[in-house]
Amino acid sequence: MARKGEASAPLYGEPRKFDPKFRGPIHNRHCTDIICCVIFIVVILGYIALGIVAWVHGDPRKVIYPTDSYGQFCGQKDTLNENKTILFYFNILKCASPIVLINLQCPTTQLCVSKCPDRFATYIDVQASYRYKPDQWNYFRQFCKPGFNNPRKSVAQVLRDEDCPSMIIPSRPFLKRCFPDFSTKNGVLTVANQTTFKDGRGKTRNVTDLREAANGINNVLDARSVGMKIFEDYAISWYWILIGLFIAMIVSLLFLVLLRFTAGVLFWIFIFGVIGIIGYGIWHCYWEYDHLKGIPGSDLTVYDIGFQTDFRVYLQLRQTWLAFMIILCVVEVIIILMLIFLRNRIRIAIALLKEGSRAIGYIMSTLFYPIVTFILIAICISYWAVTAVFLATSGEPVYKVMANQTLCKYANLTCDPETFNTTNVTKLCPGAQCTFAFYGGESLYHKYIFIFQLANAFVFLWLVNFAIALGQCTLAGAFASYYWASRKPADIPLWPLFSSFGRAIRYHTGSLAFGALILAIVQLIRVILEYLDHKLKGTQNSFTRFLLCCLKCCFWCLERFLKFINRNAYIMIAIYGKNFCTSAKEAFFLLMRNVVRVAVLDKVTDFLLFLGKILVAGGVGVLAFFFFTQRIPVFAQEAPTLNYYWVPLLTVIIGSYLVAHGFFSVYAMCVDTLFLCFCEDLERNDGSTAKPYFMSASLHRILGKKELSPKKAVG
């Protein structure tokens, strides 16, 4: 059996040899994982080259502006369509669904127009009356092909050549496209308050014939209305939202500072604060549930009223508040039971949190390092998004034959609009046209655009994980400098955060990139599995769905495990400066030799920090709720009038949680680093004069470790 201070590894790993002169993070280092570092730099240069190539070939106007049948952009400046910003479909009945209209091309002529039609009209009626009603012809003509002004041309020829639409119907622009002005009255679908319309071919049709194209459009338009109201709410309340987030930042910062002095008291306060907030939520739900008793319509179920865009409708149902109350009761019971069973372990965790708070108090700059990580990730996201857009718009215009005759053998074949009229296609298929279909290409570059998009996504994941790894290694190095200082704070190095950042970049870029690469590969596989699951969602093959579900579960678990290993490997890299594989192995075996302490200290700490985030978000959320619902008399006049008060409320709650998470993530990294250093301290030293512990006196008392006298230390 190994004695104190000796390296013991009865189950996990070989006995380790320790440097007796070790006094904290090693400064005399060498570069690690150089091959991976070189590959990482080459990939970044290739990623920049990919962005440049995409920028040269791509054209975001294809996303910003709709394209007519001639491949011209609607609304583009310095063109004939500069004032024609909306796309008009000659015969929307030919369009299968709104998805076809938005993403693909509808098999009908499409023109850029300055405004959508606002009335019913047919070409037959307008042609018959153009002599004594020229205004009707002038209005209808703006939806014909540019330059067409021959009302004497026969109707059959006009419709065959698609010089003009056979009909126009009242429409309104959405996504820069003219959609029928649908509305519902008493459950009946109407267009401009009419249920029938003339199709321009001698038939009177019901607007339900537009049902296939209308499916989803009403919901989309309703969503657009909701979206406009939400935008208005943000425009009115953004100032108060920022104030709420600022309050969350102050509360989070104050919370971390006070932990240094009153960790135990504050933690029990916020634990009971969370219980109290949930208890208030239970009482409020019960009050609303009881208050709605007897009110007509309140006993309806959510299933009875279906989906409603106005979410306030659901708050008028007793069932909604009953469901809220049951959920909150379950959460309350779970928290209370966990506190009962973990009360002794919480006391242990509090002492470690005090030590973490003391470390942050000496190295306050670490609290603001998440801003650096946020900026790096924001740059990665921006570059990825811009590159993805340029890659997606890298295609050249592809034109295809659009024929009115279903038996035309040239239909849907590619064509050249400049030479189309010289071919015999128009003779064999009267009325056929060469119209724009989509963006694509046959060159080598265009064939591999999908591969480039995958590479763009993969490098993006790699860079994001590298930015996170850099932050974890930097913070670990700073906090390790605190732990291994013999006299705190006198022996803490000057500017420990900047020194740790410099060491991580100079010596360990390759190791951090190696860990990030492994994680990025697993994440890319998960993205591919999610894509396949989405594509195969409608399949009836139960085995395929089961296999995909198992693979998704396995790779999710693998990703969680790798994040845990990487995090602790970066701590060991920050301390000893070894390569990734060695650091990961030593961290894993060290944790396995202290697996009980890992469960007691690390996970309980994570749970308590999570409760802290809930308290910050919940407290600020309750304050925001009373403010935006004008229930605080002092600020009742200042509160803005909103369409949906839950819009700024949810924004404040989610934002407060993210702000608290940013501060507490530093704290969690501090606790993890101190815990790993503590385990190393126990294995390296025995408390003797020759091998004194580096841990604080409070950790001595908690874990029952006593300094050995020189007499006991001998032999």
Side-chain angles (χ1 to χ4, degrees):
M1 186 174 179
R3 293 176 296 176
K4 289 182 179 180
E6 293 182 354
S8 59
L11 293 176
Y12 302 99
E14 296 293 332
R16 299 172 61 196
K17 296 180 180 180
F18 298 117
D19 180 7
K21 297 181 180 180
F22 178 80
R23 290 295 183 270
I26 297 173
H27 296 277
N28 186 18
R29 299 172 179 242
H30 61 275
C31 295
T32 56
D33 296 306
I34 299 176
I35 295 178
C36 192
C37 179
V38 173
I39 294 174
F40 184 61
I41 294 174
V42 171
V43 168
I44 291 178
L45 295 177
Y47 195 35
I48 295 174
L50 176 62
I52 294 174
V53 172
W55 182 78
V56 171
H57 289 86
D59 190 352
R61 294 177 303 174
K62 299 169 186 176
V63 177
I64 300 173
Y65 304 107
T67 308
D68 65 10
S69 295
Y70 307 101
Q72 299 174 346
F73 299 117
C74 298
Q76 184 183 355
K77 292 183 178 180
D78 301 326
T79 65
L80 296 176
N81 292 331
E82 180 176 0
N83 297 322
K84 300 178 179 180
T85 60
I86 308 170
L87 191 67
F88 171 73
Y89 298 90
F90 267 32
N91 188 355
I92 199 171
L93 291 173
K94 292 184 178 181
C95 305
S97 69
I99 302 299
V100 173
L101 299 182
I102 297 171
N103 296 328
L104 304 176
Q105 289 295 318
C106 184
T108 186
T109 300
Q110 301 156 39
L111 292 179
C112 298
V113 295
S114 58
K115 61 181 179 179
C116 296
D118 59 6
R119 67 193 70 173
F120 285 103
T122 64
Y123 182 80
I124 295 176
D125 294 338
V126 170
Q127 186 197 47
S129 60
Y130 80 93
R131 293 177 180 175
Y132 54 89
K133 291 182 179 180
D135 293 341
Q136 291 186 3
W137 167 250
N138 291 331
Y139 179 82
F140 195 93
R141 187 167 61 91
Q142 64 182 321
F143 302 105
C144 298
K145 288 182 178 179
F148 180 78
N149 189 18
N150 184 14
R152 298 181 180 86
K153 189 175 181 179
S154 67
V155 175
Q157 291 179 334
V158 169
L159 298 183
R160 183 197 65 187
D161 298 336
E162 292 205 353
D163 294 320
C164 290
S166 62
M167 62 174 180
I168 58 174
I169 57 178
S171 307
R172 50 180 170 178
F174 176 57
L175 297 177
K176 296 185 178 181
R177 291 160 173 82
C178 290
F179 286 96
D181 188 9
F182 290 106
S183 61
T184 303
K185 284 193 173 182
N186 299 322
V188 178
L189 186 68
T190 64
V191 175
N193 297 323
Q194 295 190 28
T195 58
T196 59
F197 66 96
K198 295 180 180 179
D199 66 356
R201 299 177 184 271
K203 295 182 180 179
T204 300
R205 307 179 66 168
N206 196 292
V207 295
T208 54
D209 292 339
L210 297 169
R211 176 77 63 181
E212 190 174 359
N215 283 340
I217 289 183
N218 283 328
N219 293 334
V220 172
L221 294 176
D222 289 341
R224 177 175 178 266
S225 177
V226 172
M228 291 299 297
K229 292 180 180 179
I230 291 176
F231 178 79
E232 292 173 0
D233 288 343
Y234 277 126
I236 296 173
S237 61
W238 67 269
Y239 178 77
W240 298 104
I241 292 174
L242 292 180
I243 291 178
L245 297 180
F246 180 76
I247 293 174
M249 184 185 71
I250 297 299
V251 172
S252 300
L253 183 61
L254 184 63
F255 179 77
L256 293 180
V257 172
L258 291 179
L259 279 180
R260 180 179 179 183
F261 307 101
T262 56
V265 175
L266 280 179
F267 262 104
W268 287 114
I269 287 176
F270 87 72
I271 286 173
F272 287 112
V274 171
I275 295 175
I277 290 174
I278 297 177
Y280 168 79
I282 294 172
W283 174 84
H284 183 77
C285 292
Y286 174 77
W287 184 87
E288 293 283 359
Y289 176 78
D290 184 68
H291 180 71
L292 291 173
K293 186 177 182 180
I295 297 179
S298 63
D299 291 325
L300 293 174
T301 64
V302 175
Y303 179 79
D304 292 333
I305 64 174
F307 175 76
Q308 300 292 329
T309 56
D310 188 354
F311 296 103
R312 290 176 294 183
V313 173
Y314 297 107
L315 299 181
Q316 306 302 319
L317 303 180
R318 299 186 73 204
Q319 187 189 61
T320 302
W321 294 105
L322 179 62
F324 287 161
M325 184 170 61
I326 293 174
I327 293 173
L328 291 178
C329 286
V330 171
V331 173
E332 185 89 328
V333 170
I334 291 175
I335 292 177
I336 292 175
L337 290 177
M338 291 184 70
L339 292 177
I340 292 174
F341 288 106
L342 297 176
R343 63 187 184 279
N344 293 326
R345 295 177 180 180
I346 288 175
R347 295 193 188 101
I348 299 174
I350 286 174
L352 193 61
L353 290 170
K354 285 183 178 180
E355 191 69 15
S357 181
R358 188 176 295 109
I360 290 179
Y362 290 133
I363 315 175
M364 289 291 292
S365 57
T366 55
L367 287 175
F368 301 97
Y369 186 84
I371 298 176
V372 177
T373 302
F374 173 80
I375 292 174
L376 292 176
I377 293 177
I379 293 174
C380 293
I381 293 175
S382 301
Y383 189 86
W384 165 78
V386 171
T387 303
V389 169
F390 274 90
L391 283 174
T393 57
S394 293
E396 301 295 331
V398 175
Y399 297 86
K400 290 193 174 185
V401 176
M402 184 179 66
N404 292 325
Q405 299 178 6
T406 57
L407 298 179
C408 178
K409 64 179 182 179
Y410 296 102
N412 296 323
L413 295 180
T414 56
C415 57
D416 185 353
E418 296 182 358
T419 61
F420 181 75
N421 291 330
T422 62
T423 64
N424 62 347
V425 176
T426 54
K427 298 178 180 178
L428 298 177
C429 302
Q433 302 181 61
C434 184
T435 60
F436 169 79
F438 54 85
Y439 291 102
E442 299 297 331
S443 67
L444 186 65
Y445 170 77
H446 294 108
K447 290 181 179 179
Y448 287 97
I449 282 182
F450 179 73
I451 303 299
F452 293 151
Q453 287 285 21
L454 280 180
N456 182 32
F458 174 71
V459 180
F460 163 71
L461 293 174
W462 194 357
L463 291 175
V464 168
N465 285 305
F466 177 81
I468 296 173
L470 178 61
Q472 292 176 342
C473 189
T474 300
L475 293 173
F479 293 128
S481 299
Y482 163 83
Y483 184 91
W484 296 108
S486 299
R487 296 173 300 166
K488 303 175 178 65
D491 291 342
I492 299 177
L494 188 65
W495 307 111
L497 183 67
F498 295 103
S499 300
S500 178
F501 181 81
R503 290 194 300 268
I505 288 292
R506 181 178 178 182
Y507 298 109
H508 307 303
T509 296
S511 298
L512 300 180
F514 189 17
L517 173 63
I518 298 173
L519 198 55
I521 292 174
V522 174
Q523 290 174 339
L524 182 64
I525 294 174
R526 289 194 62 203
V527 170
I528 295 174
L529 289 175
E530 290 290 345
Y531 174 78
L532 293 176
D533 183 49
H534 176 73
K535 287 295 183 182
L536 300 175
K537 188 167 291 184
T539 183
Q540 301 298 322
N541 193 330
S542 301
F543 176 76
T544 303
R545 295 201 305 269
F546 173 76
L547 181 61
L548 275 177
C549 184
C550 291
L551 289 174
K552 288 167 58 179
C553 180
C554 291
F555 277 97
W556 179 85
C557 295
L558 179 60
E559 181 184 358
R560 298 289 295 180
F561 175 75
L562 288 175
K563 285 183 177 180
F564 175 76
I565 291 297
N566 284 11
R567 183 183 181 90
N568 290 280
Y570 299 146
I571 296 175
M572 299 298 281
I573 290 173
I575 298 174
Y576 297 110
K578 298 180 181 179
N579 61 50
F580 176 80
C581 292
T582 302
S583 299
K585 182 188 70 174
E586 292 184 355
F588 177 76
F589 287 138
L590 179 62
L591 293 173
M592 290 300 99
R593 291 193 295 270
N594 298 273
V595 65
V596 177
R597 293 191 180 107
V598 172
V600 172
L601 298 177
D602 190 35
K603 297 309 174 185
V604 171
T605 301
D606 290 343
F607 171 71
L608 293 178
L609 290 179
F610 173 74
L611 289 182
K613 300 172 191 176
I614 296 298
L615 178 64
V616 173
V620 177
V622 169
L623 181 63
F625 171 77
F626 282 108
F627 174 78
F628 288 117
T629 56
Q630 301 180 352
R631 299 189 183 185
I632 303 178
V634 179
F635 298 101
Q637 300 298 326
E638 301 292 336
T641 302
L642 303 169
N643 296 300
Y644 309 114
Y645 72 86
W646 52 265
V647 171
L649 177 61
L650 287 180
T651 304
V652 169
I653 292 175
I654 296 174
S656 299
Y657 182 86
L658 294 177
V659 168
H661 175 75
F663 283 100
F664 290 173
S665 63
V666 175
Y667 205 83
M669 194 66 198
C670 176
V671 172
D672 289 345
T673 302
L674 296 181
F675 174 66
L676 216 58
C677 291
F678 164 74
C679 295
E680 279 284 287
D681 195 8
L682 288 180
E683 294 194 354
R684 282 179 169 275
N685 306 301
D686 56 10
S688 64
T689 304
K691 295 182 178 181
Y693 287 126
F694 286 83
M695 70 182 74
S696 64
S698 59
L699 285 176
H700 274 275
R701 292 191 300 270
I702 294 165
L703 296 159
K705 296 293 177 184
K706 298 181 180 179
E707 293 285 0
L708 295 178
S709 63
K711 184 180 294 186
K712 292 182 180 180
V714 178

